[in-house]
Amino acid sequence: MSRTRFAQSDPRAALRDGLPDRYLTPEDLVTLFGLESVETVYTWRKKRTGPPGFRVGKHIRYDPADIRAWVTQQTAIEAEAA
């Protein structure tokens, strides 16, 4: 008996087209930003330097609109520093 795997959607698509049908996971942020590991996302959260997230039970989730705002803010900070 073979199992069918459901293809996961590309997390970058959630940032391109309005509101998503799901919130992003730490693993999605790793893919989105090309990070080395999910530990980077957890370190950002611990140091409060990364995008704001929220808990759903024991899981951390990120609103794509918050991610977009955080990226915009980081881009503005880098532009001011240059």
Side-chain angles (χ1 to χ4, degrees), residues 3-76:
R3 286 196 227 175
T4 305
R5 288 189 180 180
F6 294 104
Q8 291 187 354
S9 63
D10 182 3
R12 292 171 285 199
L15 293 176
R16 287 187 217 117
D17 303 322
L19 292 176
D21 53 338
R22 69 181 182 91
Y23 289 104
L24 302 175
T25 65
E27 292 80 9
D28 291 334
L29 295 187
V30 169
T31 302
L32 184 67
F33 295 123
L35 304 172
E36 290 185 24
S37 76
V38 74
E39 292 303 317
T40 302
V41 177
Y42 294 136
T43 301
W44 285 352
R45 183 167 170 81
K46 184 177 178 181
K47 292 182 177 181
R48 297 180 185 258
T49 59
F54 58 94
R55 286 197 169 275
V56 177
K58 65 179 184 176
H59 304 285
I60 299 172
R61 295 293 182 257
Y62 297 89
D63 185 335
D66 291 341
I67 300 297
R68 186 179 298 119
W70 180 77
V71 168
T72 302
Q73 178 188 32
Q74 296 304 308
T75 304

